[in-house]
Amino acid sequence: HVQLVESGGGTVQAGGSLRLSCAASGYTYRSRCMGWFRQAPGKEREGVAAIDALGITRYVDSVKGRFAISKDPAKNTLYLHMNDLKPEDTAMYFCAADFYAFNLGNFYNYWGQGTQVTVS
């Protein structure tokens, strides 16, 4: 199995920045493809950013140019750098991982518990 633990959420004013982290442990070879998802109250979970085993990244249109996903293989850690945050970015953010590249789809086998991001 793979365990994922997110951190870095918090409350920030509009226009501010945050960096989310997701530390992977366990059978980390199964987490070569990873993504960030978010879910706001009353809304469905949506894929925000993903990175596959080759380092190819994908983003939902609403965050392009503002968010950047990256991975540090040596630390088994995934990051989401969020800039120019907007109130509509407010949500619980989840890290997801799998051996296969599901990109922004909700098909990953491994999920973290989430970290709250609030933009006022």
Side-chain angles (χ1 to χ4, degrees):
H1 291 289
V2 175
Q3 293 80 41
L4 303 172
V5 179
E6 303 96 333
S7 61
T11 300
V12 64
Q13 290 188 341
S17 299
L18 282 174
R19 186 186 76 167
L20 305 183
S21 300
C22 173
S25 61
Y27 295 117
T28 54
Y29 73 94
R30 295 181 180 176
S31 62
R32 64 178 192 166
C33 302
M34 303 185 78
W36 286 99
F37 290 74
R38 66 186 178 187
Q39 187 167 22
K43 294 187 177 181
E44 292 186 355
R45 185 167 60 188
E46 69 166 346
V48 175
I51 184 166
D52 67 17
L54 298 178
I56 297 172
T57 58
R58 291 172 175 82
Y59 299 91
V60 68
D61 286 346
S62 60
V63 307
K64 286 180 180 177
R66 300 189 298 122
F67 290 13
I69 188 171
S70 63
K71 189 166 55 174
D72 185 339
K75 297 182 179 180
N76 291 319
T77 300
L78 179 74
Y79 300 100
L80 184 66
H81 305 261
M82 305 186 294
N83 298 311
D84 189 24
L85 283 160
K86 304 176 180 181
E88 51 264 41
D89 295 318
T90 295
M92 183 72 76
Y93 283 71
F94 299 90
C95 170
D98 204 289
F99 184 81
Y100 299 103
F102 294 114
N103 299 323
L104 300 179
N106 270 306
F107 305 110
Y108 292 79
N109 271 309
Y110 306 106
W111 293 84
Q113 294 300 306
T115 184
Q116 178 68 37
V117 172
T118 302
V119 184
S120 60

